[in-house]
Structure formats: structure tokens, C-alpha cells
Amino acid sequence: MKPSINKVIFPFALSFILAACGGSPTEEPVVPKPEIPEVVVPAPKKPVQEVKTPVKKPAPAPKTALSADELTVRLKKWDKKLATLETAFNQTTSYDGVEVSRSGGKLFYDRAQNRLRLDTMSPEGDLEQTAITDKKDIVILDEAGNQVTTLSWADWQQGQPNQALFDFGNYTALVERHNAVVKSQTAKEAVLLLTPKEGEEYQLLLTLTAPDYFPQTITIMSDLMTTEAVLKNIQKNQPLPGAVFGGFKK
């Protein structure tokens, strides 16, 4: 009996298909492995540094605070030794907190000649006026050095808002006419408050700088008026420019 052609062809076709697919009927299909996504770990963030606002430390107090009497002793000591003085200054006057005038210039003092010179300068630094005195009479000169007028020292000084600015060489007597208390004090400076023992009522503040406690700021307050003079480039007991008092002619 001849075998059926279909029975022969079917196994042959099956084996041909399997061969073409590269496998055998018993092999399991290859299942591709799923790809594992790469996990990117972010770099750690740097901690944000807190910006701290610097705290302004108060000026250190002196190791040993000086009393008003001790400060006045030191003030009288430099006053006694002061032979010459050259200093620049800026002066402002205000009324009830509103500035009403501003001036600046240079001051020269010579104890031996008992002469004081005050040069008033413009904001641009040009000479506007000169006053020279022997503390008896005072001569006013214009910017060219020509004499304008002559006044008595007492009359002229009464018209000045800050008389203490012109009293170098006489600070010992100035202090003795006042009661003194310490208003504030640090290691570098002390503020001495002076009030007159009699007569006109006002307050005179002297900011005395260590080590010799020479006044660098001179402030006078009367009612609502305040005048403050700030000294800078202070030169004590140094030779003065030649003929600095040459314009003094009564």
C-alpha cells in the first residue's frame, strides 16, 4: 500500500519551515530582555550660605575711664604746651536741625606773637577773606590782601557763633569759666560737655582725641542754634609759613 502523498509532504514542509526559521520544533523562542533605563542620580546641591549682615561693634571703652576733672587736666596740659598751631577746619551752623550756613578755611596761631589768623575759603578752595588779630584788635583783609576794616577783638568775637574756635592759647581760662561733665567716652576720644558757671546759657561740646586730648570737634548749642567746627590736618608746635601775620597793621 502506497503512503499518502499528503502525509509525506506535510512533515517535509514542516521541517523546511523550521530550518528556514533556524530552529527545531523543540526549541523555545528567544525572548529579548527588557532594557533597564539608566537612573541618573543628580549631584548633591551645595548648601546655600546665609549672608549675614555685619554688626557694627561699638567703639571700645577705655580701660580706665577718665573723669571730667582728669580730662580738663589733660586739656590744660596741651594748652600750656601749645606754641604754634596750623589747622584746616569746616564749620556748619544749623537752626532747629536745618543747615543755614557752611564755611571752611585755615587757622594759624602763634603764642609768642599772640597772633591768630583765620583764612576763610570758598568751596572751590579760593581765599575769600582773612582776619588777623592780636586779641585786642582785628584786621579784615580781602582776597587780594588789602585791608578792609579794623574792629576790636571783643566786638568781633561777640558776633562769632563759635567763639571757642578762636580761643586757642586761652583754653585753660575757657575751661575754668565752665562746669564740666563727661558726655561720652571711648578708648580714642572723650566728649566733654561744658556749661557756663554764670551768664549766658549754652552748651559747649569738646570732642577730645587721645593721646593728648586735643579738641578735634568744637560744638556750641544755644536754644535752637548749633554751630560745629571740625578740625583736620592739625599741626601743633611746627614752624608756621613765613610772614603769615604780615598783614596785621592797625
Side-chain angles (χ1 to χ4, degrees), residues 69-195:
D69 289 341
E70 291 171 322
L71 287 172
T72 55
V73 167
R74 283 162 172 76
L75 187 151
K76 293 176 181 179
K77 187 175 180 179
W78 68 251
D79 182 58
K80 183 178 180 180
K81 292 182 178 180
L82 186 65
T84 63
L85 174 67
E86 179 179 349
T87 180
F89 71 92
N90 287 322
Q91 182 167 277
T92 57
T93 299
S94 60
Y95 182 80
D96 198 16
V98 179
E99 185 176 308
V100 295
S101 70
R102 177 182 291 269
S103 63
K106 297 195 72 172
L107 183 147
F108 304 87
Y109 170 71
D110 187 330
R111 184 191 294 270
Q113 299 184 57
N114 196 29
R115 295 283 194 273
L116 185 145
R117 171 173 173 160
L118 185 73
D119 289 340
T120 302
M121 316 294 286
S122 70
E124 294 74 28
D126 299 322
L127 179 64
E128 291 184 335
Q129 180 181 279
T130 296
I132 303 177
T133 181
D134 60 356
K135 296 195 176 182
K136 295 178 182 178
D137 296 290
I138 183 166
V139 175
I140 307 298
L141 310 175
D142 62 16
E143 69 279 4
N146 300 315
Q147 184 170 326
V148 176
T149 187
T150 302
L151 304 170
S152 73
W153 163 255
D155 291 342
W156 180 80
Q157 194 182 36
Q158 287 299 319
Q160 302 305 310
N162 200 343
Q163 298 176 19
L165 177 62
F166 312 103
D167 226 1
F168 289 104
N170 196 36
Y171 265 67
T172 296
L174 176 73
V175 172
E176 290 178 349
R177 295 195 304 268
H178 294 77
N179 297 311
V181 297
V182 180
K183 186 174 178 63
S184 63
Q185 190 169 176
T186 68
K188 295 182 178 180
E189 64 181 30
V191 179
L192 196 64
L193 172 60
L194 304 178
T195 53

Side-chain angles (χ1 to χ4, degrees), residues 211-222:
D212 62 351
Y213 293 93
F214 186 87
Q216 191 161 2
T217 303
I218 304 165
T219 306
I220 186 167
M221 298 181 293
S222 178

